[in-house]
Amino acid sequence: MEIILALVIGGAFGAVLDRIGASNPNVIGRMLNLTNLKLMKAILLAIGVGSVLMFGGQMLGMVDVGHMSVKTAYLGVFAGGLLLGVGWALAGYCPGTGVVAAGAGRRDAFAFIAGGLLGAAAYMATYPAIKATGLLDAILGGNATLGTVPGTDYPGLTGLPGDTLGIVLGLVFVAVAFVLPERIIRKDTRLPAE
Amino acid sequence: MTLDWKIGGLALGLVFFAAVLLVKPIGVSTQFVILDGVLWDAVDPAVVTQTADGYTATNAYLAKSGGKYAKAVANPLNYSFVFVLAMLAGGAASVWQRGGVGPAERRVPELWRANFGDSPVKRYAAAFAGGFIVLYGARLAGGCTSGHMMSGMMQTAVSGYLFAAGAFAAAVPTALMLYKEEA
């Protein structure tokens, strides 16, 4: 049963990533150089919609709280995010969208995946040394959520009710998606001033 | 061809919700480690071994957290690994259904071409280097754009916000430096 769900949800995820342009390196480049933020608006809307439905469903007793999986915060999360950001801008792919782009026949996506397999192997080889630096030691409460989510063991960064806060923040994400301009850097800003 | 951002964002949000409703939050980058492990174990079967109560590995990273990565390497037909294979198939079907990506674009993407020329070797070298940095970073962070940024922030995870702050703090300046010509 789980395998069928993997095929259906994974297949839908791949198809949607293609249709919103997330697996197109041109679209990623234009988002990150702030000349076309439509994909950013779609991502913000998606986080908001997912959040409102999940926490709303939990409050109505329709979504199993046990399906949540909150990752631990440590300094390496930020450092790894920085590294991923550089590679994301350079290649135009992140791990999931690189796989989808390979499915689209983009040749550079195969180079990205090959580099990714080597990068993951390099992390496997250096993991003990990284762990010894303390970069992986939990900070900010470890696997914490911003509020305290009822029915979970995740520590709350604040004592606010985590499900209500999740819905409020979800609505904030939706609002930001609508307010964010489609373009921040104007075309003319790089031309010499007259 | 590309969906309106409102429809696309709604569809993407529904997929992330369906995943957490039915199984668990979406994540991708771990599966690069699992595939590495499968390949490594195929060359050297001594890497992953079964124990009395599960699996372990000679590699400390594969053996961590009670050997859960070692277990996935031993049984790659699990939910998370099949999920990523299905992403490839779903993406391919969607691309094919809308008429495919053109040959010039498949060779070198247009924004790259406008800034760095038409050399495929240069582009593939950049994509390879980018892939290396992305996956090293994702494994250091314990997740990627899917697992940390989307699934994490959706669950109000502190780690998701920390990751997104790092990713955009590096990605935006890098892209501003790299892609000065528009295309």
Side-chain angles (χ1 to χ4, degrees):
Chain A
M1 184 58 201
E2 272 218 328
I3 297 299
I4 294 170
L5 286 173
L7 290 169
V8 173
I9 305 172
F13 186 39
V16 172
L17 286 176
D18 170 60
R19 290 302 164 105
I20 62 174
S23 53
N24 180 337
N26 303 307
V27 174
I28 296 295
R30 290 175 197 132
M31 173 177 82
L32 295 176
N33 79 359
L34 311 177
T35 57
N36 186 335
L37 296 171
K38 282 184 192 161
L39 177 61
M40 193 68 238
K41 290 160 82 76
I43 291 171
L44 291 166
L45 179 61
I47 294 173
V49 166
S51 209
V52 169
L53 290 176
M54 187 188 78
F55 285 111
Q58 284 180 7
M59 289 174 93
L60 297 172
M62 291 158 65
V63 175
D64 185 354
V65 181
H67 284 189
M68 281 180 74
S69 176
V70 177
K71 294 172 189 275
T72 304
Y74 49 86
L75 281 176
V77 172
F78 186 75
L82 288 172
L83 284 174
L84 179 135
V86 170
W88 191 25
L90 178 62
Y93 300 121
C94 55
T97 58
V99 169
V100 175
R106 289 181 177 274
R107 304 222 186 108
D108 53 352
F110 290 94
F112 174 85
I113 291 173
L117 288 170
L118 194 65
Y123 187 72
M124 287 162 69
T126 53
Y127 169 70
I130 296 282
K131 197 171 162 61
T133 63
L135 268 178
L136 307 184
D137 298 346
I139 57 169
L140 299 168
N143 58 350
T145 47
L146 294 174
T148 306
V149 182
T152 69
D153 295 331
Y154 300 119
L157 198 64
T158 66
L160 295 168
D163 43 8
T164 310
L165 182 65
I167 290 176
V168 171
L169 286 174
L171 294 173
V172 170
F173 272 100
V174 172
V176 174
F178 277 89
V179 172
L180 188 75
E182 288 189 3
R183 187 178 177 116
I184 290 178
I185 302 256
R186 287 211 329 274
K187 214 183 192 98
D188 301 329
T189 50
R190 297 193 190 95
L191 295 175
E194 279 299 324
Chain B
M1 201 170 83
T2 304
L3 288 174
D4 179 89
W5 71 266
K6 295 185 211 72
I7 298 171
L10 184 63
L12 186 63
L14 288 174
V15 171
F16 272 88
F17 172 65
V20 82
L21 172 69
L22 299 169
V23 191
K24 62 175 183 177
I26 289 176
V28 176
S29 68
T30 304
Q31 304 316 311
F32 279 74
V33 171
I34 303 306
L35 182 54
D36 274 336
V38 168
L39 296 172
W40 190 7
D41 196 51
V43 177
D44 178 6
V47 173
V48 171
T49 46
Q50 197 158 6
T51 61
D53 54 348
Y55 290 86
T56 191
T58 51
N59 177 267
Y61 192 60
L62 288 177
K64 82 176 181 99
S65 308
K68 73 177 175 189
Y69 291 168
K71 184 180 176 205
V73 168
N75 309 288
L77 282 181
N78 60 67
Y79 173 83
S80 300
F81 195 73
V82 171
F83 185 94
V84 174
L85 297 180
M87 284 175 69
L88 182 90
S94 167
V95 170
W96 175 76
Q97 198 272 334
R98 64 177 170 83
V101 177
E105 177 65 23
R106 281 207 308 268
R107 193 164 162 269
V108 177
E110 64 174 339
L111 181 63
W112 181 272
R113 207 180 312 134
N115 285 277
F116 301 103
D118 200 25
S119 159
V121 176
K122 198 169 163 185
R123 170 60 190 161
Y124 303 158
F128 184 87
F132 185 97
I133 307 170
V134 164
L135 264 301
Y136 193 92
R139 285 299 86 211
L140 171 58
C144 61
T145 333
S146 304
H148 259 315
M149 196 185 290
M150 303 280 310
S151 302
M153 294 211 290
M154 168 184 146
Q155 299 177 89
T156 69
V158 174
S159 54
Y161 282 85
L162 191 61
F163 175 84
F168 282 105
V172 170
T174 306
L176 286 172
M177 275 188 290
L178 287 175
Y179 308 119
K180 294 205 161 78
E181 294 296 326
E182 290 187 41

